[in-house]
């Protein structure tokens, strides 16, 4: 993870802290200094923040280790000023597993709350300070217990993709399709997100950030779930185009321009003696015209490092590879045999057709 400090790892899961976290600490120090807060009090506040984030790490390990039980690895855990994030390699699709993974995080905070409460009960809580609450050596554990209770409750709010929203989606998934459940949970999540932003504007800027984060996250995950469900069960061969426009490698670029203007094709396969040597996109043609001229050979502007896909590869993985390598076109092979192309626009059409059939 870029711009992050590596803290350590446990059971193969690395923990990072994002650089913006230092802004949070800096902000507390500056705000306290300006308001003339004694140095010792600032120290207690900083210690308190660090302890809370330690609890947040434990919360994330609750998710990550439960997921590990179901064979799902976690890429890393990253700490941001607005909270922690366990980046799972994928999400559990079985609602029962999703329910357990989602609940495990808040459960960790509840356990910490209970443990601290028991310790405080036996060591004797001094409630006198509640008249003028102040964070110091005698009250910090009570504050920390309350904070953990708050963390558990806050995370269980049904604001998808927060934990409570995932619980809601899992529960809904018992009764309906995962896509439908995600749409409902996502909708509720976005309404909650707007409320967070609204209340945050008057009370707490961090709540505004969390609201924005939830709003965008809900949208992204609804789209992702839809796409996943439409692509599931299909492989590259299903969306393959076996008829595609070709260009000879030694023809002038003008030939490509003519073909581009003349038909609907926007991507071409460049061939030499019937076998493909690369691809040429509309962007590549235009760039070639700008930087060179129309008489250079097509070979000069060809992308000779095209993405090659096996026809049996799941379509979803193919799409991920194309996105990762920023390619709009891939050459498809069956073994060593070139059989056609996969075009990003074509996959979009494929998804739209599936979408129309489902409704
Ligand atoms: Zn969580």
């Amino acid at each position: 993870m870029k711009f992050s400090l590596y803290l350590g790892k446990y059971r193969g899961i690395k923990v990072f802290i994002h650089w913006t976290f230092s802004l949070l600490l800096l902000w507390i120090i500056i705000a306290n200094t300006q308001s003339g807060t004694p140095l010792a009090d600032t120290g207690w506040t900083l210690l308190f923040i660090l302890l809370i984030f330690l609890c947040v790490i434990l919360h994330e390990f609750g998710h990550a280790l439960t997921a590990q039980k179901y064979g799902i690895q976690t890429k890393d855990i990253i700490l941001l000023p607005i909270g922690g994030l366990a980046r799972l390699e994928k999400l559990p699709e079985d609602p029962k597993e999703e329910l357990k993974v989602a609940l495990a995080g808040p459960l960790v905070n509840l356990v910490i709350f209970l443990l601290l409460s028991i310790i405080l009960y036996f060591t004797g809580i001094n409630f006198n300070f509640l008249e003028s609450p102040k964070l110091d050596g005698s009250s910090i554990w009570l504050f920390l217990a309350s904070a953990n209770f708050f963390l558990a409750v806050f995370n269980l709010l049904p604001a998808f993709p927060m934990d409570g929203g995932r619980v809601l989606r899992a529960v809904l998934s018992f009764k309906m399709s995962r896509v439908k459940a995600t749409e409902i949970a996502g909708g509720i999540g976005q309404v909650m997100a707007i409320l967070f932003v609204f209340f945050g504007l008057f009370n707490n800027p961090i709540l505004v950030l969390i609201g924005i984060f939830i709003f965008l996250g809900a949208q992204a995950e609804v789209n992702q779930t839809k796409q996943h469900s439409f692509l599931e069960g299909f492989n590259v061969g299903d969306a393959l185009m076996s008829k595609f426009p070709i260009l000879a490698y030694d023809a002038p670029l003008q030939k490509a321009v003519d073909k581009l203007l003349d038909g609907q094709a926007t991507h071409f396969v460049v061939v030499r003696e019937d076998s493909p040597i690369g691809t040429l996109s509309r962007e590549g043609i235009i760039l070639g015209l700008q930087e060179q001229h129309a008489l250079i050979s097509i070979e000069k502007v060809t992308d000779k490092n095209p993405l090659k896909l096996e026809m049996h590869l799941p379509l979803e993985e193919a799409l991920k590879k194309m996105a990762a390598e920023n390619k709009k076109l891939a050459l498809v092979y069956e073994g060593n045999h070139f059989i056609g192309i996969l075009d990003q626009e074509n996959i979009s059409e494929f998804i739209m057709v599936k979408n129309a059939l489902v409704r």
Side-chain angles (χ1 to χ4, degrees), residues 68-325:
Q68 221 170 43
K69 254 183 25 188
Y70 300 117
I72 297 168
Q73 292 305 319
T74 299
K75 276 185 257 176
D76 52 38
I77 288 173
I78 173 109
L79 278 182
L80 300 159
I82 57 168
L85 197 66
R87 298 199 302 163
L88 305 191
E89 266 178 348
K90 58 174 183 153
L91 294 168
E93 281 186 46
D94 175 5
K96 266 191 226 149
E97 291 180 4
E98 173 166 53
L99 195 61
K100 286 182 195 162
V101 171
L103 285 174
L107 199 65
V108 168
N109 297 116
L110 276 184
V111 170
I112 297 172
F113 165 71
L114 286 175
L115 287 177
L116 286 174
S117 301
I118 292 169
I119 294 170
L120 286 168
Y121 178 80
F122 284 109
T123 51
I125 315 171
N126 179 8
F127 281 106
N128 291 338
F129 84 94
L130 284 178
E131 287 162 16
S132 58
K134 185 171 178 291
L135 192 64
D136 58 26
S138 62
S139 67
I140 193 165
W141 301 109
L142 185 58
F143 272 108
L144 195 63
S146 323
N148 271 281
F149 185 75
F150 171 79
L151 276 176
V153 172
F154 182 72
N155 276 289
L156 284 173
L157 290 174
F160 187 82
M162 268 175 37
D163 298 337
R166 292 198 184 283
V167 170
L168 177 67
R169 193 231 330 239
V171 171
L172 289 173
S173 298
F174 286 118
K175 300 242 175 229
M176 58 186 83
S177 76
R178 189 172 162 84
V179 172
K180 191 89 203 138
T182 310
E183 279 177 334
I184 295 175
I188 295 173
Q190 289 194 318
V191 172
M192 300 274 306
I194 293 167
L195 292 177
F196 283 180
V197 171
F198 186 74
F199 285 116
L201 283 175
F202 300 105
N203 300 304
N204 186 342
I206 288 184
L207 200 56
V208 176
L209 287 179
I210 293 177
I212 295 170
F213 193 70
I214 291 172
F215 192 89
L216 298 176
Q219 193 61 58
E221 212 166 312
V222 168
N223 291 342
Q224 206 183 330
T225 309
K226 272 190 187 171
Q227 194 184 65
H228 174 77
S229 98
F230 294 135
L231 294 179
E232 198 167 28
F234 294 102
N235 56 34
V236 170
D238 294 313
L240 173 82
M241 288 167 73
S242 51
K243 292 196 182 73
F244 46 86
I246 56 169
L247 291 166
Y249 79 104
D250 52 357
L253 183 58
Q254 184 61 44
K255 184 87 186 160
V257 176
D258 292 344
K259 278 204 177 181
L260 185 68
L261 294 175
D262 161 79
Q264 289 187 321
T266 52
H267 307 292
F268 301 89
V269 177
V270 180
V271 294
R272 174 193 282 156
E273 284 145 20
D274 285 343
S275 62
I277 61 159
T279 60
L280 182 58
S281 66
R282 175 170 51 195
E283 291 72 24
I285 294 172
I286 291 167
L287 204 67
L289 282 178
Q290 281 170 352
E291 290 178 356
Q292 318 255 356
H293 51 81
L295 292 175
I296 58 157
S297 78
I298 281 174
E299 189 187 8
K300 289 228 162 62
V301 288
T302 297
D303 175 4
K304 283 186 205 145
N305 189 18
L307 179 63
K308 293 179 179 177
L309 299 171
E310 232 290 319
M311 75 169 283
H312 299 294
L313 186 77
L315 200 48
E316 197 179 5
E317 270 174 51
L319 206 60
K320 274 186 198 154
K321 274 193 180 176
M322 290 172 88
E325 296 192 20

